Amino acid sequence: AAPEDRLAVNNFGLFAERRHCPWHDTVRPMATRMPTVARNDWKPPTARRVAAIRQRLREIYGVPLIEPHGDPLGELILTVLSQSTNDRNRDVAFIRLRNRFASWEEVRAAPVDEVEAAIRPGGISKVKSQRIHDILEAIGDPLDLEWMREAPLAESQAYLCALPGVGRKTAACVLCFSFGLPDVPVDTHVSRVGMRLGLLRPGAPFEELHDELARITPEGAALEFHMNLLRHGRRTCHARKPACGGCAL
């Protein structure tokens, strides 16, 4: 992969080339909405089609070279901070939070207004600071998610989705980016590209999008497939004016 196509990493080793949609566990409607396809009328893509799309994406965008970073709690907080902001502001907020407090236990014990002050550059800091506090309180002691590395995937998904404000996409970010587990985050770009390429059923509910993309993704390719679908959505398959004339797919 060319250097510009390699996955960027921020100062704390967490994946940085990700811009989440405004509310990190929802998918925004596409600007030009595709007609809904009824479940009974939907024909899932063949493994051959999925493999061909994956290969073409690899030829265009390369293969992410970085390994899972192994920091699930950091990934969880980073994803909360990604709401309604860009990558730079999210990372500034995360770095300020880590510099202000020596541990996640200190973040949990701190007054919420102190957490809010630390993350203010990330936007909507009142909401995010309370959300971070509530999540850390819900996890309890030990304040550690390392057990998810070896736990059944469904158990980890259920645990994460039971935390305050956490849904399937945030859970997938934690499991995929931290441990390389086969859970593929579906954001607005991934859902749009997936539907247009016939990988995902147009009009499918959020849970189905995640379940189906995880099902069809080749083993060991969750991070790669997510990143390259996302890149294609940002660079070519735009919501309002997709560059179909220059699209290699």
Side-chain angles (χ1 to χ4, degrees), residues 176-194:
C176 179
F177 297 140
S178 302
F179 303 127
L181 294 173
D183 201 3
V184 187
V186 179
D187 68 358
T188 184
H189 300 293
V190 172
S191 63
R192 179 176 68 251
V193 174

Side-chain angles (χ1 to χ4, degrees), residues 5-217:
D5 283 331
R6 296 184 182 183
L7 202 59
V9 181
N10 64 22
N11 291 345
F12 288 90
L14 302 178
F15 295 135
E17 192 190 331
R18 292 185 285 119
R19 182 172 291 111
H20 299 283
C21 45
W23 295 101
H24 59 290
D25 279 308
T26 63
V27 174
R28 287 178 292 181
M30 289 182 288
T32 303
R33 181 179 291 277
M34 297 179 64
T36 296
V37 176
R39 192 185 300 270
N40 291 341
D41 296 331
W42 171 245
K43 294 182 179 179
T46 63
R48 180 177 179 181
R49 178 175 179 80
V50 174
I53 291 173
R54 178 193 178 196
Q55 181 57 34
R56 184 61 61 85
L57 289 169
R58 292 172 71 139
E59 292 168 1
I60 302 168
Y61 303 111
V63 179
L65 301 180
I66 196 167
E67 296 296 319
H69 54 67
D71 183 6
L73 192 51
E75 182 66 41
L76 178 56
I77 302 305
L78 185 75
T79 307
V80 172
L81 291 172
S82 70
Q83 298 175 33
S84 297
T85 194
N86 57 38
D87 294 351
R88 178 186 178 279
N89 291 342
R90 174 205 63 199
D91 287 345
V92 168
F94 186 83
I95 291 168
R96 281 169 54 103
L97 183 66
R98 296 305 307 269
N99 287 340
R100 172 65 179 80
F101 302 100
S103 67
W104 294 119
E105 286 79 6
E106 285 193 15
V107 175
R108 181 176 60 185
V112 174
D113 59 352
E114 291 186 18
V115 176
E116 180 193 347
I119 66 171
R120 190 163 291 138
I124 58 172
S125 54
K126 286 184 179 294
V127 174
K128 294 177 184 178
S129 57
Q130 188 63 56
R131 178 66 48 79
I132 289 169
H133 175 270
D134 293 347
I135 286 173
L136 297 177
E137 282 286 339
I139 293 173
D141 292 311
L143 201 49
D144 181 19
L145 300 177
E146 177 65 25
W147 58 270
M148 293 182 177
R149 185 187 299 274
E150 304 296 336
L153 182 63
E155 179 182 335
S156 298
Q157 289 171 330
Y159 179 90
L160 288 167
C161 289
L163 295 174
V166 175
R168 281 295 302 274
K169 190 176 78 171
T170 296
C173 287
V174 172
L175 298 171
C176 179
F177 297 140
S178 302
F179 303 127
L181 294 173
D183 201 3
V184 187
V186 179
D187 68 358
T188 184
H189 300 293
V190 172
S191 63
R192 179 176 68 251
V193 174
M195 290 178 189
R196 287 175 174 172
L197 293 178
L199 299 175
L200 301 171
R201 181 172 69 87
F206 195 55
E207 290 289 326
E208 180 183 329
L209 294 177
H210 276 88
D211 290 341
E212 185 62 12
L213 190 56
R215 186 188 70 81
I216 66 175
T217 297

